[in-house]
Each structure stands twice: as structure tokens, then as C-alpha cells.
């Protein structure tokens, strides 16, 4: 019986993820794209769990949700914080932080920049200091790190100062944690990285 329930659940999840309709047309109400950020968040609050709302706000702010966009991350996030209560607020907050932490480096930079809570000059340092946690938690190889740093450099574009500050922060962690819990291949490849 348990296998049947799991199988049915997996099939339903697969069908839901495939959309059945043309690339999830109808997932949002008519005119959703024309709504303001707070109206979009209010609609989502009525239709999804608070942890899904957190992921929606972040993903929509960086352009990862088709037919839905959050133009001002701070406004959308504040609206959710002001209108959620109790356990829903707790779930939202935990999911929000967790989802930001799980993002690739370039997307994480975009979220921090859009949130407006980080000093633009400190953004690169912060990302660099935090990056080792991502490497450990996601068990990234040196090749994975190399690819992500290349994407991050591209995402920085003309803002070479943020990239340089990131490298300084990252190398600081490499030096401080060397021999403790930094994989040797990561340390060797990136301690002199530019």
C-alpha cells in the first residue's frame, strides 16, 4: 500500500511539474504580470505555503519564474514579513534564508544587491567569506568552484571591485581554515586565484 501511495504521489508531482498546460499557463491569475509586487505576494500568500512564498519571492526577483516578476525585492519581502504571523512567519523566514544560501554565487549576489541591506562595498567581502560554507554544504569539487567563479565574474560585469573583494574574502577563509576543514585541492587551486 505504501508503494502505491508513493508511486501515485510521484506521478502527481511529475504531472504537476510538467504543467499539462502550455508551460504552466494558468498557474497565475489573468493580469498577474501587471500587478504590483505587493498584490502578487498577497495572491501567492493565499495560494501557497509560506516556505513556497519565500522561494517564489526570491526566484521571481532574479527572473527565474516565468510570467511573474518581483521588481523590488525589499518591498515584496517586507510585505510578507508584515502579513505573515506565528508559524507561517517562522517557516517563511527559515525558507527565505535557506533558499538564498542554496543559490549559485551569481544569483546570491543579485539577491543581496536587490535586498539593499548590504553595503555595496562590503558585498564582495561578505560573499567571499560565506562561500566556503556553500562549498562544504554542497560538497563542491575544485572544478565546480572554478565554474562558479567564472559565472560570478561574468555576473559582476563591469563591477570588478565586487569581484576583487570577493576574492579577498574567499582567500581569507582559505587561509584561516587551511588544514582544518578546507579540502586540500580547493586550497591549492584557489589560494593564488585571481
Amino acid at each position: 500500500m505504501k508503494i502505491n501511495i508513493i508511486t501515485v504521489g510521484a506521478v502527481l508531482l511529475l504531472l504537476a511539474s510538467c504543467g499539462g498546460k502550455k508551460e504552466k499557463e494558468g498557474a497565475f491569475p489573468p493580469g498577474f504580470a501587471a500587478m504590483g509586487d505587493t498584490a502578487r505576494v498577497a495572491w501567492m500568500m493565499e495560494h501557497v505555503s509560506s516556505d513556497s512564498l519565500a522561494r517564489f519571492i526570491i526566484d521571481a526577483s532574479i527572473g527565474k519564474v516565468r510570467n511573474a516578476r518581483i521588481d523590488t525585492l525589499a518591498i515584496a519581502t517586507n510585505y510578507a514579513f508584515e502579513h505573515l504571523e506565528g508559524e507561517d512567519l517562522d517557516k517563511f523566514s527559515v525558507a527565505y534564508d535557506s533558499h538564498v544560501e542554496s543559490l549559485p554565487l551569481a544569483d546570491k549576489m543579485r539577491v543581496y544587491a536587490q535586498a539593499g541591506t548590504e553595503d555595496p562595498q562590503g558585498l564582495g567581502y561578505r560573499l567571499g567569506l560565506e562561500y566556503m560554507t556553500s562549498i562544504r554544504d554542497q560538497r563542491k569539487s575544485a572544478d565546480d568552484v572554478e565554474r562558479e567563479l567564472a559565472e560570478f565574474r561574468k555576473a559582476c560585469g563591469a563591477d570588478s571591485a565586487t569581484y576583487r573583494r570577493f576574492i579577498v574574502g574567499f582567500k581569507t577563509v582559505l587561509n584561516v581554515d587551511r588544514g582544518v576543514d578546507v579540502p586540500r585541492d580547493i586550497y591549492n587551486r584557489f589560494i593564488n586565484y585571481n
Side-chain angles (χ1 to χ4, degrees), residues 114-169:
Q114 288 180 28
T117 57
E118 187 67 38
D119 170 22
Q121 292 190 342
L123 177 61
Y125 294 124
R126 177 179 177 179
L127 288 168
L129 293 171
E130 292 177 350
Y131 189 53
M132 186 54 66
T133 302
S134 173
I135 292 170
R136 286 186 202 114
D137 291 351
Q138 297 176 15
R139 291 181 164 81
K140 295 178 182 176
S141 69
D143 290 339
D144 295 334
V145 172
E146 182 97 37
R147 281 188 294 276
E148 196 163 20
L149 291 181
E151 283 297 314
F152 178 65
R153 180 178 234 160
K154 189 186 309 180
C156 286
D159 185 8
S160 61
T162 295
Y163 180 79
R164 283 194 316 274
R165 290 180 183 116
F166 166 84
I167 293 297
V168 169

Side-chain angles (χ1 to χ4, degrees), residues 16-86:
S17 68
C18 290
K21 297 180 183 177
K22 297 177 191 170
E23 296 183 22
K24 294 193 176 188
E25 284 179 10
F28 301 114
F32 190 77
M35 292 178 183
D37 289 340
T38 56
R40 288 186 197 117
V41 172
W43 187 88
M44 292 297 290
M45 286 173 70
E46 293 177 13
H47 294 89
V48 300
S49 63
S50 55
D51 54 336
S52 293
L53 175 66
R55 289 187 295 274
F56 167 78
I57 290 172
I58 293 165
D59 290 346
S61 75
I62 56 177
K64 290 191 171 189
V65 179
R66 187 180 189 107
N67 299 324
R69 177 101 181 126
I70 294 295
D71 298 312
T72 308
L73 180 62
I75 289 173
T77 304
N78 286 339
Y79 184 87
F81 274 113
E82 289 171 1
H83 291 86
L84 292 170
E85 297 176 346

